Amino acid sequence: MVRHRLMTPGPTPIPEAARLEMAKTLEHHRTPGFRRLLAEVLEGLKYVFDTTSDIAVLSSSGTGAMETCVASVVPRGGKAIVLDSGKFAERWADICEAYGIKVVRYEEPWGKSFEADEVARLLAEHADAAAVYATLSETSTGVGHDIEGIGRAVAASGALFAVDGISGVGAMECHMDDWGIDLLAVGSQKALMSPPGLAFVAVSEAAWQRIESIERQAFYFDLAAYRKALAGPDTPWTPSRPLLSALAASLRQIREESIENVWRRTATLARATRAGVAALGMELVAERPSEALTAAFLPDGVDAKAFLARLEGRFGVKLAGGQGPFSGKIIRIAHMGQIDELDILSTLSAIELVLAEMGQSVKLGSGVAAAGSVLLEEE
Ligand SMILES: *Cc1c(COP(=O)(O)O)cnc(C)c1O
């Protein structure tokens, strides 16, 4: 018998209070009780996103929020700049192309980050770009991008700034209003510690003006419909009330701890994880690491598929592997949300044991010791 330990960068473990909410009798959603629930969720999300903007709550996975940030905001035939250095950044470009939008790519190799100066240069060259699409935490590479710096470059232009914060928001600092973010896309199943199935788009005043002035290419994902319903507050279509009840409980937990403390605690876990994998001779993928997850190369000669299967079969530890060019080469460990110090230490311990079982020369305890030292320093 082994206990299952979910250590993937989405979905992440869900607090018990949130899980219990979903067992309650379902009530109808066009009621004062539902409006109170939605109002509470919106307040909690604004607190976590650090914004006073309106927030659309969608019944979809995170990609639905990304699609909304494209379909409601850039007209067919318009132009967008996409900051592309990973699987999820690529998705921005794919969505734009699906809507007939011309994409200008600022590409960097996977694992690298972007220069705000280069974004400014591209915006000068493409003054007709309607929006810039970026990613806070690139979950395929474990990079945390400089959204604050890039936001300054975009603010000096006429373009809107859209950020995929799906794995980053709630795990690392993100100040929507101060950083000049016009559209922030977030999902429920990462740092917000909720089941998959809800997504959010926070919309700045500048973005609302754009949305209301263009011919939008959306119906279910038309932000104008969400704005109209927010007067209730309501959602334009049937909301997932059980998921919203669960989210409300998770947001309460974040508020009790305070978002600043969540960021601090997550950053410490990130440092401990990085120290642990480095002590095991594993190189980091990210030149500028995200606080939400750590991506690291497996030692040469270790088959990633076999390694991950063994980690899960023998110890119940579920990690994510690599995508695209990193398929079969890297592992990704989450340290956001409900994941705590002992989760990280036990994961590192399991990694050491499986590496040793697979014939690698690792000193048992070396990864755990390195991570433990970081945790002690922080006390
Ligand atoms: C998980 C994730 C997504 C995709 O979300 P889905 O919920 O699978 O649609 C998009 N971007 C980032 C950065 C993610 O981590």
Side-chain angles (χ1 to χ4, degrees):
M1 198 286 292
V2 292
R3 252 173 55 216
H4 189 66
R5 292 170 163 87
L6 188 59
M7 297 293 294
T8 55
T12 66
I14 303 169
E16 184 169 68
R19 296 200 309 272
L20 290 173
E21 282 297 331
M22 292 183 288
K24 293 185 177 166
T25 302
L26 180 66
E27 289 171 32
H28 199 271
H29 53 279
R30 300 299 181 214
T31 57
F34 175 76
R35 285 193 280 275
R36 274 197 301 277
L37 170 65
L38 183 58
E40 181 189 348
V41 164
L42 292 172
E43 276 312 301
L45 292 174
K46 285 180 191 178
Y47 170 70
V48 174
F49 301 179
D50 196 11
T51 188
T52 57
S53 296
D54 290 333
I55 300 176
V57 173
L58 321 174
S59 299
S60 78
S61 77
T63 304
M66 296 174 73
E67 184 155 347
T68 301
C69 293
V70 173
S72 283
V73 173
V74 184
R76 181 165 288 273
K79 189 189 269 186
I81 295 174
V82 174
L83 276 49
D84 177 5
S85 79
K87 171 99 180 158
F88 293 104
E90 250 171 48
R91 190 166 296 174
W92 276 133
D94 291 344
I95 297 170
C96 286
E97 281 166 357
Y99 280 92
I101 293 161
K102 289 194 230 56
V103 174
V104 175
R105 282 169 207 260
Y106 169 10
E107 265 183 286
E108 287 288 353
W110 284 36
K112 301 281 183 251
S113 54
F114 301 104
E115 300 295 333
D117 288 349
E118 178 60 15
V119 177
R121 199 194 62 72
L122 276 171
L123 279 163
E125 190 182 326
H126 300 277
D128 56 340
V132 174
Y133 290 96
T135 313
L136 173 61
S137 166
E138 173 54 67
T139 317
S140 63
T141 60
V143 170
H145 289 294
D146 176 19
I147 294 304
E148 184 178 12
I150 296 165
R152 271 195 294 272
V154 182
S157 77
L160 295 175
F161 188 32
V163 174
D164 169 354
I166 294 172
S167 73
V169 169
M172 56 203 281
E173 267 192 68
C174 182
H175 305 280
M176 175 169 176
D177 294 355
D178 286 357
W179 291 1
I181 299 171
D182 292 298
L183 294 142
L184 183 60
V186 181
S188 53
Q189 80 276 26
K190 312 255 165 124
L192 299 184
M193 306 181 287
S194 297
L198 292 178
F200 320 101
V201 181
V203 185
S204 75
E205 214 31 65
W208 282 125
Q209 282 174 21
R210 165 78 62 75
I211 290 158
E212 276 151 20
S213 69
I214 67 162
E215 203 169 307
R216 297 177 299 277
Q217 308 192 68
F219 183 81
Y220 188 82
F221 289 139
D222 182 0
L223 280 170
Y226 288 83
R227 185 174 218 191
K228 209 164 138 213
L230 275 175
D234 270 309
T235 55
W237 331 117
T238 304
S240 175
R241 188 165 181 172
L243 295 185
L244 279 165
S245 300
L247 175 65
S250 292
L251 287 170
R252 258 172 246 145
Q253 183 171 311
I254 292 174
R255 250 190 206 276
E256 273 162 30
E257 185 176 354
S258 93
I259 190 67
E260 289 78 15
N261 284 333
V262 171
W263 290 333
R264 210 168 299 133
R265 180 171 54 75
T266 310
T268 301
L269 293 180
R271 268 197 300 283
T273 309
R274 293 195 289 263
V277 296
L280 295 173
M282 292 164 64
E283 210 178 304
L284 286 190
V285 174
E287 70 173 2
R288 190 178 195 281
S290 159
E291 313 288 24
L293 76 151
T294 295
F297 289 99
L298 279 167
D300 278 344
V302 176
D303 176 63
K305 235 185 166 152
F307 174 84
L308 290 169
R310 209 165 175 130
L311 203 67
E312 188 173 3
R314 174 114 161 70
F315 296 109
V317 176
K318 177 76 176 165
L319 298 185
Q323 298 160 296
F326 291 149
S327 175
K329 297 189 177 135
I330 67 167
I331 56 170
R332 294 177 296 141
I333 309 165
H335 26 70
M336 60 180 114
Q338 172 96 333
I339 290 165
D340 71 3
E341 293 180 339
L342 281 184
D343 289 326
I344 294 301
L345 294 176
S346 56
T347 296
L348 287 166
S349 177
I351 290 172
E352 293 173 356
L353 288 163
V354 171
L355 286 175
E357 280 180 354
M358 290 178 76
Q360 295 291 308
S361 62
V362 291
K363 187 159 171 286
L364 288 184
S366 54
V368 172
S373 300
V374 172
L375 299 178
L376 279 182
E377 279 165 22
E378 296 296 327
E379 271 316 295

Coordinates of all heavy atoms in Angstrom, one line a residue, residues 9-11 60-66 87-89 91-92 135-140 164-168 185 187-190 196-199 293 332 336, ligand 1:
P9 N 2.3 20.2 -11.2 CA 1.9 21.7 -11.4 C 0.5 21.8 -12.0 O 0.3 22.4 -13.0 CB 3.0 22.3 -12.2 CG 3.5 21.1 -13.0 CD 3.3 19.9 -12.2
G10 N -0.5 21.2 -11.4 CA -1.9 21.3 -11.8 C -2.3 19.9 -12.4 O -1.6 19.5 -13.3
P11 N -3.3 19.3 -11.8 CA -4.0 19.8 -10.6 C -3.1 19.6 -9.3 O -2.1 18.9 -9.4 CB -5.2 18.9 -10.5 CG -4.9 17.7 -11.2 CD -4.0 18.1 -12.3
S60 N -14.8 26.6 -17.3 CA -14.0 26.0 -18.3 C -12.6 25.7 -17.6 O -12.4 26.2 -16.5 CB -13.7 27.0 -19.5 OG -12.8 28.0 -19.2
S61 N -11.7 25.1 -18.3 CA -10.4 25.0 -17.8 C -9.6 26.3 -18.1 O -10.2 27.2 -18.7 CB -9.7 23.8 -18.4 OG -9.2 24.0 -19.7
G62 N -8.4 26.4 -17.7 CA -7.6 27.6 -17.9 C -7.6 28.1 -19.3 O -7.6 29.3 -19.6
T63 N -7.5 27.2 -20.3 CA -7.4 27.5 -21.7 C -8.6 28.3 -22.1 O -8.5 29.2 -23.0 CB -7.2 26.2 -22.5 OG1 -6.1 25.5 -22.0 CG2 -7.0 26.5 -24.0
G64 N -9.8 28.1 -21.5 CA -10.9 28.9 -21.8 C -10.7 30.4 -21.5 O -11.2 31.3 -22.2
A65 N -10.0 30.6 -20.4 CA -9.7 32.0 -20.0 C -8.8 32.6 -21.0 O -8.9 33.8 -21.4 CB -9.1 32.1 -18.6
M66 N -7.8 31.8 -21.5 CA -6.9 32.3 -22.5 C -7.6 32.7 -23.8 O -7.5 33.7 -24.4 CB -5.8 31.3 -22.8 CG -4.9 31.0 -21.6 SD -3.7 29.6 -22.0 CE -2.6 30.4 -23.1
K87 N 5.5 25.7 -23.9 CA 4.3 25.1 -24.4 C 3.0 26.0 -24.2 O 2.2 26.1 -25.1 CB 4.1 23.8 -23.6 CG 2.8 23.1 -23.7 CD 2.9 22.0 -24.7 CE 1.5 21.3 -24.8 NZ 1.5 20.6 -26.1
F88 N 2.9 26.7 -23.1 CA 1.7 27.5 -22.8 C 1.8 28.8 -23.5 O 0.8 29.3 -24.0 CB 1.5 27.6 -21.3 CG 1.2 26.3 -20.7 CD1 2.1 25.6 -19.9 CD2 -0.1 25.7 -20.9 CE1 1.8 24.3 -19.4 CE2 -0.4 24.4 -20.4 CZ 0.6 23.7 -19.7
A89 N 3.0 29.4 -23.7 CA 3.1 30.6 -24.5 C 2.7 30.3 -25.9 O 2.0 31.1 -26.6 CB 4.5 31.1 -24.4
R91 N 0.6 28.3 -26.9 CA -0.9 28.2 -26.9 C -1.5 29.6 -27.3 O -2.5 29.6 -28.0 CB -1.4 27.6 -25.6 CG -2.9 27.3 -25.7 CD -3.3 26.4 -24.5 NE -2.7 25.1 -24.5 CZ -2.8 24.2 -23.6 NH1 -3.5 24.4 -22.5 NH2 -2.1 23.1 -23.6
W92 N -0.9 30.6 -26.7 CA -1.4 32.0 -27.0 C -1.4 32.2 -28.6 O -2.4 32.7 -29.2 CB -0.5 33.1 -26.4 CG -0.8 33.5 -25.0 CD1 0.2 33.6 -24.0 CD2 -2.0 33.9 -24.4 NE1 -0.3 34.1 -22.9 CE2 -1.7 34.3 -23.0 CE3 -3.3 34.0 -24.8 CZ2 -2.6 34.8 -22.1 CZ3 -4.3 34.5 -23.9 CH2 -3.9 34.8 -22.6
T135 N 3.3 35.2 -20.3 CA 3.0 34.2 -19.3 C 3.8 34.5 -18.0 O 5.0 34.8 -18.1 CB 3.5 32.8 -19.9 OG1 3.1 32.7 -21.2 CG2 3.0 31.7 -19.0
L136 N 3.1 34.5 -16.9 CA 3.8 34.8 -15.6 C 4.7 33.6 -15.2 O 5.9 33.7 -15.0 CB 2.7 35.0 -14.5 CG 3.2 35.1 -13.1 CD1 4.1 36.3 -12.9 CD2 2.0 35.3 -12.1
S137 N 4.1 32.4 -15.1 CA 4.9 31.2 -14.8 C 4.7 30.2 -15.9 O 3.6 29.7 -16.1 CB 4.3 30.6 -13.5 OG 4.8 29.3 -13.2
E138 N 5.8 30.0 -16.7 CA 5.6 29.1 -17.8 C 5.8 27.6 -17.3 O 6.9 27.2 -17.0 CB 6.7 29.4 -18.9 CG 6.9 28.5 -20.0 CD 5.6 28.2 -20.8 OE1 5.0 29.1 -21.5 OE2 5.1 27.1 -20.8
T139 N 4.7 27.0 -17.2 CA 4.7 25.7 -16.5 C 5.4 24.6 -17.2 O 5.8 23.6 -16.6 CB 3.2 25.3 -16.3 OG1 2.5 26.4 -15.8 CG2 3.0 24.2 -15.2
S140 N 5.7 24.7 -18.5 CA 6.4 23.7 -19.3 C 7.9 23.8 -19.0 O 8.6 22.8 -19.2 CB 6.1 23.8 -20.8 OG 6.6 25.1 -21.3
D164 N -1.0 35.2 -19.0 CA -1.5 33.9 -18.5 C -0.8 33.7 -17.1 O 0.4 33.5 -17.0 CB -1.0 32.8 -19.5 CG -1.1 31.4 -19.0 OD1 -1.5 31.2 -17.8 OD2 -0.8 30.5 -19.7
G165 N -1.7 33.8 -16.1 CA -1.2 33.6 -14.7 C -1.7 32.3 -14.2 O -1.9 32.2 -12.9
I166 N -2.0 31.4 -15.0 CA -2.7 30.2 -14.6 C -2.0 29.4 -13.5 O -2.6 28.9 -12.6 CB -3.1 29.3 -15.8 CG1 -4.1 30.1 -16.7 CG2 -3.7 28.0 -15.4 CD1 -4.5 29.5 -18.0
S167 N -0.7 29.2 -13.7 CA 0.0 28.5 -12.6 C 0.7 29.5 -11.7 O 1.1 29.1 -10.6 CB 1.1 27.5 -13.1 OG 2.2 28.1 -13.7
G168 N 0.9 30.7 -12.1 CA 1.7 31.7 -11.3 C 0.9 32.4 -10.2 O 1.4 32.6 -9.1
A185 N -5.5 36.0 -17.0 CA -6.2 34.7 -17.1 C -5.6 33.8 -16.0 O -4.4 33.6 -15.8 CB -5.9 34.1 -18.4
G187 N -6.6 29.9 -13.6 CA -7.4 28.7 -13.6 C -7.6 28.3 -12.1 O -6.8 28.7 -11.2
S188 N -8.5 27.4 -11.8 CA -8.8 27.0 -10.5 C -7.9 25.9 -9.9 O -7.7 25.8 -8.7 CB -10.3 26.5 -10.4 OG -10.5 25.5 -11.3
Q189 N -7.2 25.1 -10.7 CA -6.6 23.9 -10.3 C -5.1 24.0 -10.0 O -4.5 23.0 -9.9 CB -6.9 22.7 -11.2 CG -6.1 22.7 -12.5 CD -6.5 23.5 -13.6 OE1 -7.1 24.6 -13.4 NE2 -6.2 23.2 -14.8
K190 N -4.6 25.2 -9.9 CA -3.1 25.3 -9.6 C -3.0 25.9 -8.2 O -3.4 25.3 -7.3 CB -2.5 26.1 -10.7 CG -2.9 25.7 -12.1 CD -1.9 24.9 -12.9 CE -2.5 24.1 -14.1 NZ -1.9 24.4 -15.4
P196 N -10.3 21.3 -11.0 CA -10.3 21.8 -12.3 C -11.7 22.2 -12.7 O -12.6 21.5 -12.2 CB -9.7 20.7 -13.2 CG -9.2 19.6 -12.2 CD -9.8 19.8 -10.9
G197 N -11.9 23.1 -13.6 CA -13.2 23.4 -14.1 C -13.6 24.8 -14.1 O -14.7 25.2 -14.6
L198 N -12.9 25.7 -13.3 CA -13.2 27.1 -13.3 C -12.0 27.9 -13.8 O -10.9 27.5 -13.6 CB -13.5 27.6 -11.9 CG -14.8 27.1 -11.2 CD1 -14.9 27.7 -9.8 CD2 -16.0 27.5 -12.0
A199 N -12.3 29.0 -14.5 CA -11.3 29.9 -15.0 C -11.8 31.3 -14.8 O -13.0 31.6 -14.7 CB -11.0 29.6 -16.5
L293 N 6.8 26.1 -9.5 CA 7.2 24.7 -9.7 C 8.7 24.8 -10.1 O 9.3 25.8 -10.4 CB 6.5 24.1 -10.9 CG 6.9 24.6 -12.3 CD1 6.6 23.5 -13.3 CD2 6.1 25.9 -12.7
R332 N 9.1 17.8 -13.4 CA 8.6 19.0 -12.9 C 7.9 18.8 -11.5 O 7.0 17.9 -11.5 CB 7.6 19.7 -13.9 CG 8.3 20.1 -15.2 CD 7.4 20.7 -16.2 NE 6.4 19.7 -16.7 CZ 5.2 19.9 -17.0 NH1 4.7 21.2 -16.8 NH2 4.4 19.0 -17.4
M336 N 3.3 24.7 -4.9 CA 2.4 25.8 -4.7 C 1.2 25.3 -3.9 O 1.0 24.1 -3.7 CB 1.9 26.3 -6.1 CG 1.2 25.2 -6.9 SD 0.7 25.8 -8.5 CE 1.7 25.0 -9.7
Ligands
LIG1 C1 -2.2 24.6 -16.6 C2 -1.9 25.8 -17.5 C3 -2.6 26.2 -18.6 C4 -3.7 25.3 -19.2 O1 -4.8 25.2 -18.4 P1 -5.9 24.1 -18.6 O2 -6.6 24.2 -17.3 O3 -5.3 22.8 -18.9 O4 -6.7 24.5 -19.8 C5 -2.3 27.3 -19.3 N1 -1.2 28.0 -19.0 C6 -0.4 27.7 -17.9 C7 0.8 28.5 -17.6 C8 -0.7 26.5 -17.2 O5 0.1 26.2 -16.1

